[in-house]
Amino acid sequence: GENVEQHPSTLSVQEGDSAVIKCTYSDSASNYFPWYKQELGKRPQLIIDIRSNVGEKKDQRIAVTLNKTAKHFSLHITETQPEDSAVYFCAASSRYNQGGKLIFGQGTELSVKP
Amino acid sequence: DAGVIQSPRHEVTEMGQEVTLRCKPISGHNSLFWYRQTMMRGLELLIYFNNNVPIDDSGMPEDRFSAKMPNASFSTLKIQPSEPRDSAVYFCASSRRDLEEKLFFGSGTQLSVL
């Protein structure tokens, strides 16, 4: 079955710097890769997702890149702000739009220092 | 739409007691997932349903755990008997696979087994 590895487990940056979180997946059939942000005591919320037919996707200060050959994908946050501080989870799924399951990485705790 | 609704928000019980967690997915969604979140294991997939049918329960820890989805608007996760190691946050999530793949989470149930 699918296995998703995420690193680093913790990341501390200064406000205004960039942050990069990386994930690898094991199932070469995986074709859907969402990223979730979870603030303390709250539910995970989708911030961006990418499908395997796209190599990169951007939404304002957030971007995700996908390397299907190497089976890894990354989240990039530019111009970080204190409100970006949270736990970020990557996930992967094969045949997601046909009913496959979504497996999450272990999470990265991002701390943005003002 | 009210989103995915879970109840109770908090549950404190004694070891050996039966615990029932409830979930109402977003109207029109045809997939429902139960995840468990702990510091050690992150977000673990326990079981998921497509069109009310259990598809994969390989994540259910042991026979003490069971889940049902009697109709499209209701699901339960039951633990009987409960043990202290079951203490965690249990999230329910739903999605509409064929139209919009995004997974939406409920607020979670914080379970403490004493």
Side-chain angles (χ1 to χ4, degrees):
Chain A
E2 177 66 278
N3 183 50
V4 179
E5 298 287 335
Q6 182 173 348
H7 58 94
S9 57
T10 60
L11 179 60
S12 181
V13 300
Q14 288 294 132
E15 182 178 0
D17 288 349
S18 295
V20 180
I21 302 170
K22 299 181 179 182
C23 290
T24 60
Y25 60 97
S26 60
D27 187 352
S28 57
S30 288
N31 58 2
Y32 177 60
F33 308 91
W35 286 87
Y36 283 78
K37 175 183 180 182
Q38 186 179 28
E39 296 176 348
L40 189 63
K42 298 193 175 180
R43 75 189 78 188
Q45 292 195 300
L46 179 74
I47 55 172
I48 194 168
D49 58 7
I50 191 169
R51 289 166 178 77
S52 59
N53 59 347
V54 176
E56 182 175 359
K57 184 176 179 179
K58 293 183 72 174
D59 183 3
Q60 299 182 341
R61 295 186 297 108
I62 293 173
V64 57
T65 59
L66 171 65
N67 184 326
K68 288 173 56 181
T69 303
K71 290 190 285 187
H72 68 70
F73 55 113
S74 301
L75 178 71
H76 304 253
I77 306 174
T78 58
E79 300 172 29
T80 53
Q81 302 168 3
E83 51 265 39
D84 294 331
S85 297
V87 179
Y88 291 81
F89 292 94
C90 63
S93 177
S94 60
R95 302 179 299 108
Y96 185 75
N97 61 343
Q98 292 145 27
K101 58 188 177 183
L102 190 63
I103 302 299
F104 284 84
Q106 288 291 93
T108 296
E109 183 175 1
L110 174 63
S111 175
V112 180
K113 300 186 185 306
Chain B
D1 197 319
V4 178
I5 299 173
Q6 290 187 247
S7 64
R9 289 296 306 275
H10 303 276
E11 176 81 26
V12 180
T13 190
E14 292 188 347
M15 181 174 63
Q17 297 297 306
E18 177 179 297
V19 174
T20 299
L21 311 181
R22 297 173 175 79
C23 177
K24 176 178 167 55
I26 293 173
S27 178
H29 281 193
N30 56 2
S31 285
L32 183 141
F33 296 70
W34 283 101
Y35 287 90
R36 178 172 69 176
Q37 185 174 36
T38 60
M39 286 295 292
M40 291 297 295
R41 294 173 172 267
L43 273 166
E44 295 177 276
L45 176 63
L46 300 178
I47 185 171
Y48 76 103
F49 298 81
N50 287 341
N51 298 312
N52 312 339
V53 176
I55 302 301
D56 186 338
D57 65 354
S58 59
M60 297 286 260
E62 44 197 279
D63 292 346
R64 297 184 297 105
F65 285 68
S66 63
K68 294 182 180 180
M69 191 164 187
N71 57 62
S73 58
F74 184 66
S75 177
T76 59
L77 178 67
K78 186 174 293 187
I79 308 172
Q80 166 63 18
S82 58
E83 296 183 4
R85 60 194 167 120
D86 301 331
S87 298
V89 179
Y90 291 80
F91 285 104
C92 175
S94 72
S95 70
R96 174 80 188 262
R97 305 294 203 120
D98 51 344
L99 288 184
E100 184 179 356
E101 302 173 3
K102 295 168 177 46
L103 189 67
F104 292 91
F105 282 80
S107 297
T109 294
Q110 174 77 60
L111 173 65
S112 297
V113 183
L114 307 177

